[in-house]
Structure formats: structure tokens, C-alpha cells
Amino acid sequence: MAVQQVFPLSCAVQHYAWGKMGSNSEVARLLASSDPQARISEDKPYAELWMGSHPRGDAKILDNRISQKTLGQWISENQDCLGSKVKDTFNGKLPFLFKVLSVETALSIQAHPNKELAEKLHLQAPQHYPDANHKPEMAIALTSFQGLCGFRPVEEIVTFLTKVPELRFLIGDNATAQLKGSTSSDSQVAASALQSCFSHLMKSEKNVVVEQLSLLVKRISQQAAAGNNMEDICGELLLQLHQQYPGDIGCFAIYFLNLLTLKPGEAMFLEANVPHAYLKGGGSWPSG
């Protein structure tokens, strides 16, 4: 008898705090449409739908004619479904996880390790890094989607340092001057100067960050109330992020990272070591 190759799945859901609530979430609606037994809680965030065989979210098989209960079990007993090259390269495991995200509030800034570093971190601290694989991602927008991805051109960051004195205060005069002087230098010099600036920001003392962020929020709010357009310093986004995470140093990251707004069907690729953060909207994520 031929092995059944197509069958319905009930995919795992992750209820991270940043997800959209209840049936407002694309994740919740997809879950409900695919699993008749699913019950959506309107007071719970539905952040991610995982379609794959990840140990923390192995999809359940919704077909009583199939002896295996999960996709991971089925793949382990039907190795030919992977194809010989994938089976040999990835030791008989499905080498990607397909996700759908529904983002209500901004996620933390993060960067995924490459394969070598992922294996090292997994050996050192498996409780924090349960997966030894790297995680390149391609984000495909299902709705209007906003995110931060990769460092802006140095010239843009220098402009923000000029227009946002609160940011310049955290960076310091020396690091700021170093970055300004690197605009006509080679890429290595510019990268070193950028690293110095971003390190100064991220290592700033908490109370100083809170103080400077409060000053910036007050200044933007007053200028906006007076009818002035503050988009040259991303005023609306800064206020939005501060409302979600008051006093958080990540609010200043918008002046270092590219701000992208994707229309449905548009995509962005995130390779290893690229800093990024998802801000709002819905999208699908094939992740390695």
C-alpha cells in the first residue's frame, strides 16, 4: 500500500506576549480554520503558528488512518519524503520551520548566529540554545508589516546624531566624531566606528537612558502638539515604541537600523548576524 503523502495538520501555537489577542490574530484565525477542535481564547495572545517538526512544536496529524501522531514521527518513519540530499545533509530531519507571525507590539532586537556559533552555543548552554542549527529567515508580509533590519547607511545615522541630541548624549562626543569622520573612509573603518557607537548606546546606564528618552519623548510630543512634523526623526514611531516599552533602550535602535514597511507579498531576507526586530503586522517565516 502506498504511503499517504498528504494529510491535515494541527500546528503548534506560541502565545508570546507581543502577539495579537484572540481572533484579531491572523495566527488564531489560521488555527481555527485548520483544526475543528481548536478553541480560541479572546484574552490570550496568539503570536506564532509553527508548521513543522520542531521539538517545541511538533505539528499533530489530524488523520486517524495514520499511525504516527505527529509530523516529526511521520518523517522519521518515512525518510524518503525528504529526498536523498536533504535526508543525508540534515540527518533525516526537516531542515526548516515555517512560521506565521501576528505582531501587536515590537519584539526585542536580535540577531541569529551562524551555523558554527549555533553549534557552539548549543554545546555550552543547551537550556538556552536547544537548537544547534543556524536560523536564516525570509519574512514574507501577509498584511502590511513593519520591521527593523540591518544597519542604516552611516550617513543616515550621522544625520540622526545631529538631529537627536538625546541620542548623541548617550553615544558620547568621541564616538560620534569617530563615526562622522568615517563617512569618507573605507568600509572597515566605518564598520569599526559604527560598532563603537552602537556599543556605547547599548552599554549606557539604565537611569541615563530613561532620562534621555524622557527628554526626547517630551520634545517630540510638544513639537507634534504645535503642529510640527517630526518624521525626520521618526517621531511617531518613537512615541509608539516608548508607549509599549517605557524607558527601554531599544527605542533608540530606530536611529541605527533600517526601517522597512512591507506590503502584502513583499519580503526581506535575514541572514546570520543581521540585527533585526519586528514591530507590527502579520507575516510568514520560512526559517532554516
Side-chain angles (χ1 to χ4, degrees):
M1 181 182 296
V3 175
Q4 189 169 340
Q5 299 285 341
V6 179
F7 41 80
L9 298 173
S10 177
C11 298
V13 168
Q14 306 297 337
H15 300 281
Y16 303 134
W18 47 260
K20 290 186 178 181
M21 302 296 289
S23 54
N24 287 325
S25 168
E26 291 83 359
V27 167
R29 294 198 292 270
L30 282 172
L31 176 66
S33 68
S34 62
D35 185 354
Q37 302 300 317
R39 295 293 179 266
I40 305 304
S41 299
E42 296 299 332
D43 59 350
K44 183 180 290 188
Y46 289 76
E48 296 187 2
L49 186 75
W50 287 14
M51 290 174 261
S53 57
H54 194 282
R56 286 179 47 216
D58 197 0
K60 297 178 181 178
I61 295 175
L62 298 180
D63 192 325
N64 293 330
R65 296 170 296 175
I66 296 176
S67 59
Q68 298 85 7
K69 300 302 180 184
T70 70
L71 180 61
Q73 293 171 1
W74 188 88
I75 290 174
S76 69
E77 297 178 27
N78 295 275
Q79 291 282 285
D80 289 345
C81 72
L82 297 173
S84 59
K85 184 176 181 179
V86 171
K87 180 179 68 174
D88 295 341
T89 303
F90 297 98
N91 299 315
K93 304 291 186 182
L94 187 67
F96 68 91
L97 177 62
F98 190 91
K99 303 178 183 180
V100 174
L101 274 65
S102 189
V103 181
E104 181 66 26
T105 58
L107 282 69
S108 59
I109 300 167
Q110 55 188 287
H112 298 307
N114 58 27
K115 177 64 173 173
E116 181 181 358
L117 180 57
E119 291 176 346
K120 181 179 179 181
L121 293 172
H122 177 66
L123 286 173
Q124 291 177 343
Q127 70 276 21
H128 298 302
Y129 301 95
D131 194 339
N133 289 312
H134 57 325
K135 295 178 178 61
E137 294 181 347
M138 178 177 287
I140 305 169
L142 300 178
T143 66
S144 178
F145 188 85
Q146 192 174 57
L148 302 171
C149 178
F151 285 106
R152 294 175 180 269
V154 170
E155 292 80 6
E156 288 187 17
I157 300 173
V158 168
T159 298
F160 284 128
L161 285 169
T162 302
K163 293 183 176 182
V164 185
E166 300 84 358
L167 173 64
R168 190 168 64 249
F169 184 90
L170 295 175
I171 301 300
D173 292 337
N174 289 339
T176 298
Q178 183 184 3
L179 188 66
K180 288 182 178 179
S182 75
T183 55
S184 58
S185 305
D186 62 45
S187 58
Q188 277 193 324
V189 172
S192 177
L194 177 56
Q195 181 181 20
S196 176
C197 278
F198 196 64
S199 295
H200 274 79
L201 172 64
M202 300 310 289
K203 292 177 180 178
S204 299
E205 294 184 9
K206 174 67 175 178
N207 63 318
V208 181
V209 172
V210 171
E211 177 185 47
Q212 293 302 312
L213 191 53
S214 296
L215 290 173
L216 178 57
V217 167
K218 181 179 180 181
R219 182 164 66 88
I220 291 175
S221 299
Q222 289 175 342
Q223 290 292 321
N228 297 319
N229 189 327
M230 302 301 290
E231 285 313 294
D232 62 330
I233 60 169
C234 305
E236 183 178 348
L237 177 59
L238 190 284
L239 295 181
Q240 170 194 312
L241 294 176
H242 183 261
Q243 184 177 32
Q244 295 175 4
Y245 303 103
D248 194 291
I249 194 171
C251 295
F252 282 108
I254 62 176
Y255 300 122
F256 278 89
L257 303 181
N258 292 298
L259 175 63
L260 301 178
T261 300
L262 303 180
K263 298 176 183 178
E266 293 183 334
M268 61 181 176
F269 176 68
L270 305 168
E271 59 183 341
N273 301 320
V274 173
H276 60 276
Y278 305 129
L279 302 181
K280 62 181 178 180
S284 63
W285 268 253
S287 174

